[in-house]
Amino acid sequence: MLKYIGRRTLQNVLIFIVFLSATFFLLQAQPGDISQQFLANPKITPEVREQFREQLGLGGTVGEQYLTYMGNFFTGNLGISFSEYPREVSDILAERLPRTLALFLFATLLSFGLGFQSGKFLAWRRGSKTEPVVTTVGVFFQTVFYPWFALMMIWAFAFGLGWFPIGKFLTVEKWLDAPPGVEANGVFNRMLITALIVLVGVAAVEVVGRRAGDRRRGKRITWAGRILLVGGLWIWWATVWSEQAPYALDIAWHLVLPTVTLALIGFGATMLLTRASMLETLKEDFILTARAKGVPDKVIRDKHAARNALLPVTTSLVLSLAFLIGGGVVTETVFSWPGMGATLLSAALQEDIPLTIGAFAFIAVLALIAHLIIDIVYMYLDPRIRV
Amino acid sequence: MTDRLVDPDPSAAPNMADVVAEPLWQVRLRLFWQGLRSGWSSFAESRIGLVGLGVIVLFGIMAMIQPILIGTVWEPAIYDPVLGYDAVVVEKTIVPDNEVTDPATQIDLFSARLLDPLLQVGDTLVVTVQPAPPSRQHLLGTDPLGRDVLSQLMFSTRAAFMLGIVAALVTVFIATTVGAVSAFFGGAVDTLFMRLADLIILVPFLPILIVLSALIDFQLFHLALLIGVLGGFGGTAIILKSQALSVSVKPFIDAARIAGGGHLHVIFRHIIPNVLPLSFLYMMFSVTDAISAEATLSFLGLLNIDMSWGIMIHQAWDQGYLLDPNRWWLMVPAGMSVTLLAGSFFLVGRAMDEIINPRLRRR
């Protein structure tokens, strides 16, 4: 199992190196060089440009430049952003990465969870009159022109109904009189850590509960663990971080609409696929056997059919991942959510090459890591790969 | 069959000769026609497929009549999708400040005096409205620059079709060839192409296009080629390869090789024809992807093209008419068009999937 994970990691690292080389040669194919960008910006003096050339090794041959480029990248030296001049690219990216991570993580979980559950129920109640409606809804979410859909969501839920703010990361007025020590990135990182603890904790408790042997006892352990986890974190936020809690709620309120919108586009595909895969599984002999044994319907549905239908859906998650990341760029732009995607886009529009390449590389790293996690989950789900 | 084997009657021979005398292309054409008809009859059973096809035909008609309309009913100076201009003139009554009850026919004194300082309450003022609401001259109104929205919509349809079809053809051509070649040869060739496909799948499509459009000045045709190449070496190649693999282990491939068929002969005459139905199916899905990708990129303002559905929405967004329900004609028609056309290609693809993929058939 460890060997498998190691091999996959190695493959991903290799893919990433190939990818980085490809971006290097893409840059190399451009006329002029990076240091000649933003010539009209008076803050970037010729000395700075010279320093920049030095640092990027732009004077040398292509081979030397390539080595410098790779070396710089792996030592975390991504250069200086032109459009936000004195700031380093790695600094900007470190600030924006958690925001994209949160958006992507919650949207993926939400779309996968909702899609899988609804697909399961749809397959179970096959042939009803709702079928064409469901197909239409699924296809709509899958093929809707996404930026337009996001704008319509803002129009309906933020502008029309006023339930959510119209884009942005936080309400500026509210943060003006924030106590010292409370700043947006810190609060947001705490929120993200809390969410990760909840996710990992719930999964761990689930595993412990399953292994308990006795089903009754396992269920009790699971529930006790969940309550302990969520309650503990709740108390922690109410006491230790109580100063930050209202500000955290403000950010969370801004996060809801983008997450739901992004989740909805992945939802349609997952639902349709789960339905198709579940219908296949329901035709298998072991389902017939389970029915003949008199296993309750709910158990057949959830334990026998859905567990087996999960595999192809997980595989397709790899494909929809790229889709969700692309959607994330659009979501961040439309909702003015200052994450990696929005950074990539604005940098690309201003032709701020170091920032563009940095953001691009980190989006690729994000995709690779997500890919690896899905591989590991898949291995956990499918015992045939594990051995 | 048995008749022919046991019947030694020489009178049957002329019949046989007739059959053989029929040129090969005629036989092929007949078989193709038969296949098409049986395919159509199962396609027609699926309602979603028919709906999708209907929408595609509708858009096709829209795309075709726009140049005809421009030449005949529509004045090119007004209705040209890019360069046209029409100022819709409206008479407004001037009312005191803060007493405007109906903005369509009334204007307050302050705003009116900005145009002409001598005006008084009660006068009528002739103003030009942009974007103008739908009217008899402009069925879908005009955009903020005074151009006809319907004409833009129809003009963009042509571009969308061209882009989608070019991208899909390139995708399918590359993916089928790559799939068949790597299934047939296996080994290093296979590994090379499949790892390449992995790489392309892994790195998200839209960010690649964003970075490339920052570096290169894209025209529509280049974008179509690029989407086609990325799609063709990416996911579609993997799917078509698995189909080609299941074909290439069949006995008739061995037979063809034993009969002396070269590599190219086997690949192009025996493997690819058997993969083609699936390729054609994936062509539909690539059209969907290409149309959405182009619309998204032009929405983000990254493409250097004159007019497309994405650009129409981009302009409405850019000029601040986004959250205004009274100006729905700027956003809704273009957004619906992208969704409908992309969705209908997808529906046709799904309906074809049920014909081509026997596992999905009801029976």
Side-chain angles (χ1 to χ4, degrees):
Chain A
M1 181 165 168
L2 277 177
K3 205 170 139 196
Y4 176 78
I5 295 175
R7 210 179 63 219
R8 292 295 307 180
T9 316
L10 199 70
Q11 271 177 9
N12 279 351
V13 170
L14 279 179
I15 285 179
F16 184 67
I17 290 174
V18 171
F19 162 78
L20 259 190
S21 314
T23 51
F24 171 79
F25 287 110
L26 197 70
L27 284 178
Q28 202 62 39
Q30 297 303 305
D33 65 48
I34 299 178
S35 67
Q36 298 307 308
Q37 295 274 324
F38 280 71
L39 282 174
N41 189 338
K43 277 194 278 181
I44 309 173
T45 58
E47 291 81 61
V48 175
R49 287 182 196 283
E50 201 45 52
Q51 200 186 336
F52 205 69
R53 281 179 68 85
E54 196 90 340
Q55 195 187 16
L56 293 177
L58 290 179
T61 61
V62 177
E64 283 167 24
Q65 287 187 39
Y66 177 70
L67 288 180
T68 327
Y69 173 84
M70 295 304 250
N72 276 343
F73 194 91
F74 284 107
T75 49
N77 179 4
L78 298 173
I80 293 162
S81 162
F82 285 132
S83 56
E84 303 190 27
Y85 166 57
R87 289 186 77 183
E88 286 206 15
V89 170
S90 48
D91 182 37
I92 300 176
L93 293 183
E95 173 192 293
R96 315 241 161 123
L97 186 64
R99 302 171 186 170
T100 295
L101 210 58
L103 188 67
F104 179 68
L105 185 71
F106 296 141
T108 310
L109 288 176
L110 194 66
S111 85
F112 190 74
L114 275 182
F116 187 70
Q117 288 298 328
S118 49
K120 190 173 88 179
F121 281 104
L122 284 170
W124 193 248
R125 300 203 188 118
R126 198 206 170 171
S128 60
K129 274 181 197 154
T130 51
E131 207 173 302
V133 179
V134 167
T135 315
T136 314
V137 169
V139 170
F140 174 78
F141 282 130
Q142 209 170 351
T143 60
V144 69
F145 178 38
Y146 181 59
W148 180 74
F149 177 67
L151 289 174
M152 288 295 134
M153 289 289 281
I154 296 184
W155 182 71
F157 291 102
F159 182 74
L161 295 170
W163 291 351
F164 300 104
I166 301 177
K168 295 273 184 292
F169 184 58
L170 39 79
T171 319
V172 181
E173 295 85 351
K174 198 180 159 80
W175 284 73
L176 281 178
D177 50 357
V182 175
E183 50 91 38
N185 291 328
V187 173
F188 192 71
N189 287 342
R190 287 187 182 117
M191 286 166 68
L192 197 58
I193 289 168
T194 313
L196 285 178
I197 292 175
V198 170
L199 281 178
V200 173
V202 166
V205 164
E206 189 79 30
V207 171
V208 172
R210 287 256 169 88
R211 298 249 166 108
D214 182 16
R215 262 192 72 203
R216 268 259 191 77
R217 220 177 108 227
K219 229 170 193 174
R220 243 178 263 154
I221 293 176
T222 317
W223 273 106
R226 282 179 196 166
I227 290 170
L228 218 68
L229 203 70
V230 175
L233 283 169
W234 185 269
I235 292 169
W236 183 260
W237 271 95
T239 54
V240 183
W241 288 344
S242 64
E243 207 177 34
Q244 332 233 356
Y247 297 96
L249 276 181
D250 183 49
I251 295 181
W253 187 49
H254 282 76
L255 182 61
V256 175
L257 197 58
T259 311
V260 171
T261 311
L262 184 55
L264 277 180
I265 53 160
F267 163 78
T270 313
M271 181 180 78
L272 291 179
L273 191 73
T274 311
R275 188 175 154 272
S277 140
M278 180 97 171
L279 285 176
E280 292 259 303
T281 319
L282 286 176
K283 283 186 208 147
E284 299 270 354
D285 289 342
F286 61 81
I287 299 288
L288 197 67
T289 314
R291 281 190 198 206
K293 281 197 301 188
V295 178
D297 267 5
K298 203 171 153 249
V299 178
I300 297 180
R301 187 189 67 204
D302 293 346
K303 295 247 155 90
H304 295 227
R307 271 304 293 269
N308 283 291
L310 192 59
L311 287 176
V313 184
T314 317
T315 317
S316 87
L317 198 62
V318 174
L319 287 174
S320 68
L321 215 63
F323 194 60
L324 271 178
I325 289 179
V329 176
V330 176
T331 313
E332 288 178 6
T333 311
V334 172
F335 285 91
S336 318
W337 182 261
M340 286 296 239
T343 307
L344 172 73
L345 184 69
S346 71
L349 283 174
Q350 299 176 56
E351 301 190 356
D352 178 356
I353 302 299
L355 189 55
T356 311
I357 297 300
F360 186 40
F362 268 86
I363 287 177
V365 171
L366 190 66
L368 286 173
I369 292 176
H371 201 94
L372 190 66
I373 291 175
I374 292 176
D375 271 345
I376 294 171
V377 168
Y378 192 84
M379 192 179 63
Y380 175 76
L381 290 175
D382 191 353
R384 279 168 297 186
I385 298 182
R386 244 181 286 169
V387 285
Chain B
M1 196 56 135
T2 43
D3 272 5
R4 228 196 312 161
L5 284 180
V6 294
D7 190 16
D9 183 7
S11 69
N15 281 340
M16 286 297 288
D18 275 352
V19 171
V20 175
E22 191 180 3
L24 197 60
W25 65 268
Q26 248 174 24
V27 178
R28 286 211 173 120
L29 198 70
R30 209 178 57 228
L31 285 175
F32 175 72
W33 184 240
Q34 270 173 12
L36 212 62
R37 267 177 46 193
S38 76
W40 170 255
S41 66
S42 23
F43 182 81
E45 275 178 26
S46 123
R47 198 172 296 161
I48 54 167
L50 284 182
V51 169
L53 201 63
V55 174
I56 293 174
V57 168
L58 203 72
F59 273 106
I61 292 171
M62 261 175 73
M64 276 190 286
I65 61 174
Q66 196 262 358
I68 301 173
L69 281 177
I70 283 278
T72 53
V73 230
W74 285 352
E75 180 64 39
I78 293 176
Y79 287 95
D80 188 280
V82 184
L83 302 170
Y85 172 78
D86 190 15
V88 175
V89 175
V90 177
E91 285 192 0
K92 288 192 175 181
T93 319
I94 298 169
V95 293
D97 293 351
N98 305 327
E99 284 181 27
V100 178
T101 47
D102 180 14
T105 57
Q106 291 174 328
I107 186 167
D108 63 89
L109 189 60
F110 182 77
S111 319
R113 280 195 171 155
L114 290 175
L115 299 169
D116 185 352
L118 300 174
L119 288 169
Q120 297 298 327
V121 171
D123 290 355
T124 53
L125 176 69
V126 176
V127 288
T128 55
V129 191
Q130 279 155 5
S135 60
R136 273 248 291 286
Q137 289 93 32
H138 302 288
L139 290 176
L140 281 174
T142 63
D143 78 346
L145 299 173
R147 304 178 290 190
D148 185 67
V149 172
L150 184 62
S151 177
Q152 290 180 341
L153 200 69
M154 290 161 103
F155 179 78
S156 309
T157 311
R158 210 169 2 152
F161 266 111
M162 197 206 80
L163 170 105
I165 288 165
V166 169
L169 281 176
V170 173
T171 303
V172 161
F173 177 74
I174 294 177
T176 312
T177 316
V178 165
V181 164
S182 53
F184 181 75
F185 289 111
V189 180
D190 181 32
T191 314
L192 178 73
F193 280 126
M194 289 303 114
R195 291 295 83 79
L196 183 66
D198 279 348
L199 177 69
I200 291 174
I201 289 179
L202 269 179
V203 183
F205 193 49
L206 194 61
I208 297 184
L209 290 182
I210 289 177
V211 170
L212 285 179
S213 53
L215 300 172
I216 305 164
D217 199 10
F218 270 127
Q219 297 293 316
L220 206 56
F221 185 67
H222 304 147
L223 181 71
L225 284 184
L226 184 70
I227 293 175
V229 169
L230 282 180
F233 282 110
T236 317
I238 297 183
I239 296 164
L240 292 184
K241 183 212 145 189
S242 65
Q243 172 75 10
L245 204 58
S246 72
V247 172
S248 67
V249 294
K250 294 232 169 92
F252 67 84
I253 299 294
D254 288 339
R257 291 177 77 173
I258 290 162
H263 292 325
L264 285 180
H265 171 80
V266 173
I267 290 174
F268 284 98
R269 299 306 290 270
H270 295 280
I271 296 182
I272 286 186
N274 285 293
V275 182
L276 268 185
L278 201 69
S279 311
F280 197 57
L281 166 69
Y282 277 91
M283 209 167 120
M284 295 295 149
F285 295 137
S286 348
V287 173
T288 304
D289 290 346
I291 291 175
S292 317
E294 184 274 332
T296 308
L297 283 182
S298 23
F299 165 78
L300 296 173
L302 287 164
L303 292 186
N304 180 21
I305 54 179
D306 293 335
M307 186 48 61
S308 80
W309 290 328
I311 287 196
M312 289 167 73
I313 298 180
H314 173 72
Q315 278 172 352
W317 189 35
D318 214 31
Q319 314 220 359
Y321 293 104
L322 177 58
L323 299 177
D324 189 350
N326 295 324
R327 305 263 201 282
W328 56 269
W329 63 90
L330 294 177
M331 298 274 308
V332 176
M336 283 308 288
S337 298
V338 179
T339 309
L340 275 178
L341 190 60
S344 53
F345 273 106
F346 186 79
L347 286 180
V348 170
R350 272 182 72 91
M352 280 168 58
D353 205 4
E354 281 180 18
I355 303 170
I356 292 163
N357 223 335
R359 280 186 316 131
L360 296 177
R361 273 188 213 162
R362 289 273 165 76
R363 300 178 290 275

